[in-house]
Amino acid sequence: DVPIAITGAEITSLRSVQLKGRLRRLSSGGATDMVRARRYCDAFVAAVGAADGLPAELMERWMPDAVAVADVDVEEVYDQTPGPDAGGLLSRTAP
């Protein structure tokens, strides 16, 4: 049971959130997880390319060789979108 924070963003809108909670389990990802990660990475590369014009070839080195699977109990969600509300609590779950 380890505290963890995870931040993610939507490239085209810059909307981002941070999840805080407890890491229950961390394990190596399998073949299905790698396929899912690759689909996510392909969508990320396309979004960055569309938003910023960065060529996909430059981003290929960011692609993972392996993935991990995290089982997380999310306790709080924070707004991390740039602007006056950044850092504000969006939701909290009961302990």
Side-chain angles (χ1 to χ4, degrees), residues 15-88:
R15 174 149 166 62
S16 57
V17 296
Q18 182 180 64
L19 312 174
K20 291 186 177 183
R22 311 288 301 172
L23 176 63
R24 298 289 179 204
R25 186 171 62 108
L26 184 64
S27 58
S28 296
T32 302
D33 301 307
M34 279 301 296
V35 168
R36 185 177 187 186
R38 186 63 207 201
R39 280 196 311 262
Y40 170 82
C41 289
D42 289 345
F44 172 80
V45 166
V48 171
D52 296 337
L54 193 61
E57 300 78 36
L58 293 179
M59 291 183 277
E60 271 302 310
R61 68 182 114 184
W62 300 343
M63 300 306 131
D65 295 327
V67 295
V69 176
D71 181 9
V72 176
D73 288 335
V74 175
E75 297 167 350
E76 300 170 329
V77 180
Y78 291 88
D79 184 0
Q80 293 298 304
T81 305
D85 296 327

